[in-house]
Each structure stands twice: as structure tokens, then as C-alpha cells.
PDB file of all heavy atoms in Angstrom:
ATOM      1  N   TYR A   1       7.264   2.610  -6.072  1.00 92.00           N
ATOM      2  CA  TYR A   1       7.592   4.042  -5.983  1.00 92.00           C
ATOM      3  C   TYR A   1       6.432   4.880  -6.505  1.00 92.00           C
ATOM      4  O   TYR A   1       6.011   4.696  -7.647  1.00 92.00           O
ATOM      5  CB  TYR A   1       8.858   4.361  -6.785  1.00 92.00           C
ATOM      6  CG  TYR A   1       9.258   5.821  -6.652  1.00 92.00           C
ATOM      7  CD1 TYR A   1       9.992   6.233  -5.550  1.00 92.00           C
ATOM      8  CD2 TYR A   1       8.878   6.751  -7.607  1.00 92.00           C
ATOM      9  CE1 TYR A   1      10.344   7.567  -5.407  1.00 92.00           C
ATOM     10  CE2 TYR A   1       9.219   8.079  -7.464  1.00 92.00           C
ATOM     11  CZ  TYR A   1       9.946   8.491  -6.371  1.00 92.00           C
ATOM     12  OH  TYR A   1      10.283   9.810  -6.226  1.00 92.00           O
ATOM     13  N   PRO A   2       5.909   5.776  -5.659  1.00 94.00           N
ATOM     14  CA  PRO A   2       6.223   5.906  -4.221  1.00 94.00           C
ATOM     15  C   PRO A   2       5.736   4.674  -3.466  1.00 94.00           C
ATOM     16  O   PRO A   2       4.799   4.008  -3.905  1.00 94.00           O
ATOM     17  CB  PRO A   2       5.461   7.161  -3.813  1.00 94.00           C
ATOM     18  CG  PRO A   2       4.317   7.245  -4.791  1.00 94.00           C
ATOM     19  CD  PRO A   2       4.853   6.722  -6.090  1.00 94.00           C
ATOM     20  N   SER A   3       6.367   4.383  -2.346  1.00 95.00           N
ATOM     21  CA  SER A   3       6.081   3.150  -1.616  1.00 95.00           C
ATOM     22  C   SER A   3       4.890   3.323  -0.677  1.00 95.00           C
ATOM     23  O   SER A   3       4.881   4.230   0.165  1.00 95.00           O
ATOM     24  CB  SER A   3       7.312   2.712  -0.811  1.00 95.00           C
ATOM     25  OG  SER A   3       8.303   2.196  -1.669  1.00 95.00           O
ATOM     26  N   TYR A   4       3.900   2.436  -0.833  1.00 96.00           N
ATOM     27  CA  TYR A   4       2.754   2.425   0.073  1.00 96.00           C
ATOM     28  C   TYR A   4       2.013   1.100  -0.085  1.00 96.00           C
ATOM     29  O   TYR A   4       2.292   0.324  -0.998  1.00 96.00           O
ATOM     30  CB  TYR A   4       1.812   3.608  -0.190  1.00 96.00           C
ATOM     31  CG  TYR A   4       1.320   3.735  -1.605  1.00 96.00           C
ATOM     32  CD1 TYR A   4       0.226   3.015  -2.064  1.00 96.00           C
ATOM     33  CD2 TYR A   4       1.950   4.606  -2.498  1.00 96.00           C
ATOM     34  CE1 TYR A   4      -0.239   3.147  -3.356  1.00 96.00           C
ATOM     35  CE2 TYR A   4       1.498   4.743  -3.797  1.00 96.00           C
ATOM     36  CZ  TYR A   4       0.408   4.018  -4.225  1.00 96.00           C
ATOM     37  OH  TYR A   4      -0.042   4.140  -5.517  1.00 96.00           O
ATOM     38  N   LEU A   5       1.079   0.840   0.836  1.00 97.00           N
ATOM     39  CA  LEU A   5       0.239  -0.357   0.806  1.00 97.00           C
ATOM     40  C   LEU A   5      -1.208   0.044   0.590  1.00 97.00           C
ATOM     41  O   LEU A   5      -1.661   1.078   1.097  1.00 97.00           O
ATOM     42  CB  LEU A   5       0.358  -1.149   2.118  1.00 97.00           C
ATOM     43  CG  LEU A   5       1.731  -1.690   2.497  1.00 97.00           C
ATOM     44  CD1 LEU A   5       1.650  -2.406   3.850  1.00 97.00           C
ATOM     45  CD2 LEU A   5       2.267  -2.633   1.440  1.00 97.00           C
ATOM     46  N   ILE A   6      -1.944  -0.790  -0.134  1.00 97.00           N
ATOM     47  CA  ILE A   6      -3.377  -0.575  -0.360  1.00 97.00           C
ATOM     48  C   ILE A   6      -4.125  -1.794   0.171  1.00 97.00           C
ATOM     49  O   ILE A   6      -3.827  -2.924  -0.224  1.00 97.00           O
ATOM     50  CB  ILE A   6      -3.697  -0.377  -1.848  1.00 97.00           C
ATOM     51  CG1 ILE A   6      -2.954   0.842  -2.401  1.00 97.00           C
ATOM     52  CG2 ILE A   6      -5.197  -0.220  -2.055  1.00 97.00           C
ATOM     53  CD1 ILE A   6      -3.105   0.999  -3.895  1.00 97.00           C
ATOM     54  N   ILE A   7      -5.073  -1.566   1.082  1.00 97.00           N
ATOM     55  CA  ILE A   7      -5.887  -2.658   1.638  1.00 97.00           C
ATOM     56  C   ILE A   7      -7.252  -2.618   0.960  1.00 97.00           C
ATOM     57  O   ILE A   7      -7.921  -1.571   0.950  1.00 97.00           O
ATOM     58  CB  ILE A   7      -6.041  -2.544   3.165  1.00 97.00           C
ATOM     59  CG1 ILE A   7      -4.678  -2.688   3.854  1.00 97.00           C
ATOM     60  CG2 ILE A   7      -6.970  -3.613   3.690  1.00 97.00           C
ATOM     61  CD1 ILE A   7      -3.941  -1.400   4.062  1.00 97.00           C
ATOM     62  N   CYS A   8      -7.669  -3.752   0.396  1.00 96.00           N
ATOM     63  CA  CYS A   8      -8.946  -3.850  -0.313  1.00 96.00           C
ATOM     64  C   CYS A   8      -9.840  -4.887   0.356  1.00 96.00           C
ATOM     65  O   CYS A   8      -9.357  -5.888   0.894  1.00 96.00           O
ATOM     66  CB  CYS A   8      -8.729  -4.238  -1.770  1.00 96.00           C
ATOM     67  SG  CYS A   8      -7.740  -3.067  -2.722  1.00 96.00           S
ATOM     68  N   SER A   9     -11.140  -4.640   0.313  1.00 94.00           N
ATOM     69  CA  SER A   9     -12.103  -5.600   0.843  1.00 94.00           C
ATOM     70  C   SER A   9     -12.203  -6.796  -0.099  1.00 94.00           C
ATOM     71  O   SER A   9     -11.687  -6.765  -1.218  1.00 94.00           O
ATOM     72  CB  SER A   9     -13.474  -4.944   1.014  1.00 94.00           C
ATOM     73  OG  SER A   9     -13.972  -4.521  -0.247  1.00 94.00           O
ATOM     74  N   ALA A  10     -12.895  -7.831   0.359  1.00 93.00           N
ATOM     75  CA  ALA A  10     -13.008  -9.053  -0.439  1.00 93.00           C
ATOM     76  C   ALA A  10     -13.755  -8.828  -1.748  1.00 93.00           C
ATOM     77  O   ALA A  10     -13.584  -9.593  -2.704  1.00 93.00           O
ATOM     78  CB  ALA A  10     -13.705 -10.145   0.374  1.00 93.00           C
ATOM     79  N   ASP A  11     -14.569  -7.759  -1.825  1.00 93.00           N
ATOM     80  CA  ASP A  11     -15.284  -7.463  -3.070  1.00 93.00           C
ATOM     81  C   ASP A  11     -14.555  -6.432  -3.925  1.00 93.00           C
ATOM     82  O   ASP A  11     -15.104  -5.933  -4.909  1.00 93.00           O
ATOM     83  CB  ASP A  11     -16.712  -6.986  -2.765  1.00 93.00           C
ATOM     84  CG  ASP A  11     -16.738  -5.749  -1.865  1.00 93.00           C
ATOM     85  OD1 ASP A  11     -15.655  -5.250  -1.504  1.00 93.00           O
ATOM     86  OD2 ASP A  11     -17.843  -5.303  -1.519  1.00 93.00           O
ATOM     87  N   GLY A  12     -13.309  -6.092  -3.545  1.00 94.00           N
ATOM     88  CA  GLY A  12     -12.474  -5.241  -4.386  1.00 94.00           C
ATOM     89  C   GLY A  12     -12.508  -3.759  -4.080  1.00 94.00           C
ATOM     90  O   GLY A  12     -11.843  -2.970  -4.765  1.00 94.00           O
ATOM     91  N   LYS A  13     -13.221  -3.330  -3.047  1.00 94.00           N
ATOM     92  CA  LYS A  13     -13.281  -1.909  -2.723  1.00 94.00           C
ATOM     93  C   LYS A  13     -12.050  -1.502  -1.901  1.00 94.00           C
ATOM     94  O   LYS A  13     -11.660  -2.201  -0.980  1.00 94.00           O
ATOM     95  CB  LYS A  13     -14.557  -1.594  -1.934  1.00 94.00           C
ATOM     96  CG  LYS A  13     -15.829  -1.817  -2.726  1.00 94.00           C
ATOM     97  CD  LYS A  13     -17.064  -1.504  -1.891  1.00 94.00           C
ATOM     98  CE  LYS A  13     -18.336  -1.752  -2.695  1.00 94.00           C
ATOM     99  NZ  LYS A  13     -19.560  -1.490  -1.881  1.00 94.00           N
ATOM    100  N   VAL A  14     -11.463  -0.371  -2.266  1.00 95.00           N
ATOM    101  CA  VAL A  14     -10.292   0.126  -1.535  1.00 95.00           C
ATOM    102  C   VAL A  14     -10.734   0.643  -0.171  1.00 95.00           C
ATOM    103  O   VAL A  14     -11.582   1.531  -0.075  1.00 95.00           O
ATOM    104  CB  VAL A  14      -9.579   1.245  -2.319  1.00 95.00           C
ATOM    105  CG1 VAL A  14      -8.430   1.817  -1.496  1.00 95.00           C
ATOM    106  CG2 VAL A  14      -9.053   0.709  -3.640  1.00 95.00           C
ATOM    107  N   GLU A  15     -10.195   0.069   0.906  1.00 94.00           N
ATOM    108  CA  GLU A  15     -10.566   0.460   2.261  1.00 94.00           C
ATOM    109  C   GLU A  15      -9.580   1.442   2.888  1.00 94.00           C
ATOM    110  O   GLU A  15      -9.971   2.318   3.642  1.00 94.00           O
ATOM    111  CB  GLU A  15     -10.664  -0.784   3.162  1.00 94.00           C
ATOM    112  CG  GLU A  15     -11.812  -1.708   2.835  1.00 94.00           C
ATOM    113  CD  GLU A  15     -11.953  -2.819   3.863  1.00 94.00           C
ATOM    114  OE1 GLU A  15     -11.014  -3.023   4.661  1.00 94.00           O
ATOM    115  OE2 GLU A  15     -13.010  -3.479   3.886  1.00 94.00           O
ATOM    116  N   LYS A  16      -8.292   1.270   2.560  1.00 94.00           N
ATOM    117  CA  LYS A  16      -7.288   2.040   3.291  1.00 94.00           C
ATOM    118  C   LYS A  16      -5.980   2.062   2.509  1.00 94.00           C
ATOM    119  O   LYS A  16      -5.660   1.124   1.781  1.00 94.00           O
ATOM    120  CB  LYS A  16      -7.063   1.381   4.662  1.00 94.00           C
ATOM    121  CG  LYS A  16      -6.238   2.178   5.652  1.00 94.00           C
ATOM    122  CD  LYS A  16      -6.200   1.423   6.984  1.00 94.00           C
ATOM    123  CE  LYS A  16      -5.490   2.218   8.063  1.00 94.00           C
ATOM    124  NZ  LYS A  16      -5.468   1.486   9.351  1.00 94.00           N
ATOM    125  N   THR A  17      -5.230   3.155   2.658  1.00 96.00           N
ATOM    126  CA  THR A  17      -3.887   3.265   2.098  1.00 96.00           C
ATOM    127  C   THR A  17      -2.919   3.586   3.224  1.00 96.00           C
ATOM    128  O   THR A  17      -3.168   4.492   4.021  1.00 96.00           O
ATOM    129  CB  THR A  17      -3.819   4.354   1.014  1.00 96.00           C
ATOM    130  OG1 THR A  17      -4.728   4.023  -0.048  1.00 96.00           O
ATOM    131  CG2 THR A  17      -2.417   4.447   0.432  1.00 96.00           C
ATOM    132  N   ILE A  18      -1.828   2.829   3.311  1.00 96.00           N
ATOM    133  CA  ILE A  18      -0.823   3.030   4.368  1.00 96.00           C
ATOM    134  C   ILE A  18       0.461   3.551   3.732  1.00 96.00           C
ATOM    135  O   ILE A  18       1.041   2.908   2.856  1.00 96.00           O
ATOM    136  CB  ILE A  18      -0.541   1.724   5.124  1.00 96.00           C
ATOM    137  CG1 ILE A  18      -1.827   1.203   5.791  1.00 96.00           C
ATOM    138  CG2 ILE A  18       0.549   1.919   6.166  1.00 96.00           C
ATOM    139  CD1 ILE A  18      -1.646  -0.127   6.498  1.00 96.00           C
ATOM    140  N   THR A  19       0.906   4.718   4.171  1.00 94.00           N
ATOM    141  CA  THR A  19       2.101   5.348   3.624  1.00 94.00           C
ATOM    142  C   THR A  19       3.150   5.520   4.720  1.00 94.00           C
ATOM    143  O   THR A  19       2.954   5.125   5.864  1.00 94.00           O
ATOM    144  CB  THR A  19       1.748   6.713   3.013  1.00 94.00           C
ATOM    145  OG1 THR A  19       1.147   7.543   4.031  1.00 94.00           O
ATOM    146  CG2 THR A  19       0.743   6.554   1.873  1.00 94.00           C
ATOM    147  N   ASN A  20       4.271   6.125   4.349  1.00 91.00           N
ATOM    148  CA  ASN A  20       5.349   6.471   5.301  1.00 91.00           C
ATOM    149  C   ASN A  20       5.887   5.246   6.034  1.00 91.00           C
ATOM    150  O   ASN A  20       6.085   5.263   7.252  1.00 91.00           O
ATOM    151  CB  ASN A  20       4.857   7.508   6.322  1.00 91.00           C
ATOM    152  CG  ASN A  20       4.397   8.790   5.667  1.00 91.00           C
ATOM    153  OD1 ASN A  20       4.982   9.238   4.693  1.00 91.00           O
ATOM    154  ND2 ASN A  20       3.325   9.362   6.185  1.00 91.00           N
ATOM    155  N   LEU A  21       6.130   4.159   5.278  1.00 91.00           N
ATOM    156  CA  LEU A  21       6.677   2.952   5.891  1.00 91.00           C
ATOM    157  C   LEU A  21       8.166   2.818   5.614  1.00 91.00           C
ATOM    158  O   LEU A  21       8.996   2.947   6.495  1.00 91.00           O
ATOM    159  CB  LEU A  21       5.932   1.709   5.364  1.00 91.00           C
ATOM    160  CG  LEU A  21       4.474   1.575   5.790  1.00 91.00           C
ATOM    161  CD1 LEU A  21       3.803   0.418   5.070  1.00 91.00           C
ATOM    162  CD2 LEU A  21       4.389   1.366   7.307  1.00 91.00           C
ATOM    163  N   VAL A  22       8.518   2.558   4.370  1.00 91.00           N
ATOM    164  CA  VAL A  22       9.912   2.376   3.967  1.00 91.00           C
ATOM    165  C   VAL A  22       9.977   2.631   2.464  1.00 91.00           C
ATOM    166  O   VAL A  22       8.991   2.464   1.747  1.00 91.00           O
ATOM    167  CB  VAL A  22      10.408   0.951   4.314  1.00 91.00           C
ATOM    168  CG1 VAL A  22       9.677  -0.089   3.494  1.00 91.00           C
ATOM    169  CG2 VAL A  22      11.910   0.835   4.108  1.00 91.00           C
ATOM    170  N   HIS A  23      11.130   3.061   1.973  1.00 91.00           N
ATOM    171  CA  HIS A  23      11.294   3.279   0.541  1.00 91.00           C
ATOM    172  C   HIS A  23      11.479   1.948  -0.186  1.00 91.00           C
ATOM    173  O   HIS A  23      11.961   0.966   0.376  1.00 91.00           O
ATOM    174  CB  HIS A  23      12.501   4.175   0.270  1.00 91.00           C
ATOM    175  CG  HIS A  23      12.328   5.574   0.801  1.00 91.00           C
ATOM    176  ND1 HIS A  23      11.330   6.411   0.363  1.00 91.00           N
ATOM    177  CD2 HIS A  23      13.041   6.266   1.726  1.00 91.00           C
ATOM    178  CE1 HIS A  23      11.424   7.567   1.000  1.00 91.00           C
ATOM    179  NE2 HIS A  23      12.454   7.504   1.845  1.00 91.00           N
ATOM    180  N   ASP A  24      11.098   1.920  -1.446  1.00 91.00           N
ATOM    181  CA  ASP A  24      11.376   0.803  -2.352  1.00 91.00           C
ATOM    182  C   ASP A  24      10.798  -0.525  -1.860  1.00 91.00           C
ATOM    183  O   ASP A  24      11.482  -1.549  -1.808  1.00 91.00           O
ATOM    184  CB  ASP A  24      12.886   0.646  -2.561  1.00 91.00           C
ATOM    185  CG  ASP A  24      13.559   1.939  -2.982  1.00 91.00           C
ATOM    186  OD1 ASP A  24      12.909   2.705  -3.701  1.00 91.00           O
ATOM    187  OD2 ASP A  24      14.720   2.163  -2.581  1.00 91.00           O
ATOM    188  N   ILE A  25       9.513  -0.544  -1.477  1.00 94.00           N
ATOM    189  CA  ILE A  25       8.871  -1.802  -1.082  1.00 94.00           C
ATOM    190  C   ILE A  25       8.856  -2.741  -2.284  1.00 94.00           C
ATOM    191  O   ILE A  25       8.314  -2.417  -3.339  1.00 94.00           O
ATOM    192  CB  ILE A  25       7.431  -1.564  -0.582  1.00 94.00           C
ATOM    193  CG1 ILE A  25       7.451  -0.753   0.719  1.00 94.00           C
ATOM    194  CG2 ILE A  25       6.721  -2.895  -0.361  1.00 94.00           C
ATOM    195  CD1 ILE A  25       6.071  -0.432   1.249  1.00 94.00           C
ATOM    196  N   HIS A  26       9.465  -3.926  -2.103  1.00 93.00           N
ATOM    197  CA  HIS A  26       9.609  -4.852  -3.225  1.00 93.00           C
ATOM    198  C   HIS A  26       8.659  -6.038  -3.142  1.00 93.00           C
ATOM    199  O   HIS A  26       8.433  -6.726  -4.142  1.00 93.00           O
ATOM    200  CB  HIS A  26      11.053  -5.357  -3.303  1.00 93.00           C
ATOM    201  CG  HIS A  26      11.486  -5.672  -4.702  1.00 93.00           C
ATOM    202  ND1 HIS A  26      11.097  -6.811  -5.373  1.00 93.00           N
ATOM    203  CD2 HIS A  26      12.268  -4.981  -5.577  1.00 93.00           C
ATOM    204  CE1 HIS A  26      11.621  -6.822  -6.593  1.00 93.00           C
ATOM    205  NE2 HIS A  26      12.332  -5.726  -6.745  1.00 93.00           N
ATOM    206  N   ASP A  27       8.106  -6.316  -1.963  1.00 95.00           N
ATOM    207  CA  ASP A  27       7.161  -7.427  -1.841  1.00 95.00           C
ATOM    208  C   ASP A  27       6.420  -7.313  -0.517  1.00 95.00           C
ATOM    209  O   ASP A  27       6.890  -6.653   0.428  1.00 95.00           O
ATOM    210  CB  ASP A  27       7.887  -8.771  -1.916  1.00 95.00           C
ATOM    211  CG  ASP A  27       6.936  -9.927  -2.262  1.00 95.00           C
ATOM    212  OD1 ASP A  27       5.783  -9.651  -2.632  1.00 95.00           O
ATOM    213  OD2 ASP A  27       7.353 -11.089  -2.176  1.00 95.00           O
ATOM    214  N   VAL A  28       5.253  -7.951  -0.446  1.00 96.00           N
ATOM    215  CA  VAL A  28       4.444  -7.983   0.768  1.00 96.00           C
ATOM    216  C   VAL A  28       3.892  -9.388   0.935  1.00 96.00           C
ATOM    217  O   VAL A  28       3.570 -10.057  -0.052  1.00 96.00           O
ATOM    218  CB  VAL A  28       3.299  -6.941   0.714  1.00 96.00           C
ATOM    219  CG1 VAL A  28       2.385  -7.213  -0.469  1.00 96.00           C
ATOM    220  CG2 VAL A  28       2.492  -6.941   2.017  1.00 96.00           C
TER     221      VAL A  28
END
């Protein structure tokens, strides 16, 4: 909360954030 996904490169840099999927994401 708030629910979103963060995609990171193999060296740890944040590449992208994905929002507006579903509430209360509990696992990926």
C-alpha cells in the first residue's frame, strides 16, 4: 500500500514503476 511494482536492472537501478494494477498486492 499503495500497490505498485518496481522493475530494477541487474545492477540495481530502478528502470520502471507500474501502477494502477490491483489493490493490496501481497506477492509477485
Side-chain angles (χ1 to χ4, degrees):
Y1 183 83
S3 287
Y4 55 84
L5 299 178
I6 300 174
I7 296 90
C8 299
S9 62
D11 58 1
K13 295 179 181 178
V14 176
E15 292 187 346
K16 190 176 185 180
T17 300
I18 300 177
T19 58
N20 300 323
L21 292 173
V22 66
H23 295 298
D24 308 326
I25 294 178
H26 210 284
D27 199 11
V28 60

